[in-house]
Amino acid sequence: MATDKQKVLELAADRQHAQLPVEANGLGQAEEPHCGDLLRIGLVVNPRQVVVDAGFTITESACPPAVASAVIAVQLALNKPVLAAYTVDWNAIAEQM
């Protein structure tokens, strides 16, 4: 699947959610074994089981596609029921690139 290089760079520059929410009550992390990039995503899930806030941190030296993927993952999770957010996968992220 081809990606739009300019869109990836614009997404990677989007720092709106580039921090973990202080009140996160759901946390996950993944590490890329070859380059060592570490991604952490935090979610705030309300009592109705809806993701009301989300954010991420990623290794400072992470490549633009990795950062763009984190941005998209957070965007796709926001305002969704937590079970729908749980189903966000690489296919859903790739479709947005």
Side-chain angles (χ1 to χ4, degrees):
M1 173 179 282
T3 59
D4 179 345
K5 182 178 178 181
Q6 185 61 36
K7 184 173 184 180
V8 168
L9 293 174
E10 289 172 6
L11 285 164
D14 179 354
R15 294 309 207 185
Q16 180 180 359
H17 297 287
Q19 63 184 20
L20 294 176
V22 174
E23 297 179 8
N25 53 5
L27 296 168
Q29 75 176 33
E31 184 173 1
E32 209 293 327
H34 296 88
C35 68
D37 286 347
L38 180 64
L39 169 65
R40 289 186 176 101
I41 292 181
L43 305 176
V44 177
V45 180
N46 71 12
R48 296 181 61 119
Q49 299 298 301
V50 174
V51 177
V52 294
D53 194 10
F56 69 92
T57 60
I58 193 165
T59 308
E60 194 171 316
S61 61
C63 63
V67 178
S69 295
V71 170
I72 291 170
V74 166
Q75 289 173 347
L76 291 174
L78 277 170
N79 302 311
K80 300 281 190 322
V82 71
L83 291 178
Y86 181 75
T87 65
V88 172
D89 64 3
W90 70 271
N91 286 314
I93 293 168
E95 286 176 12
Q96 300 297 315
M97 294 243 194

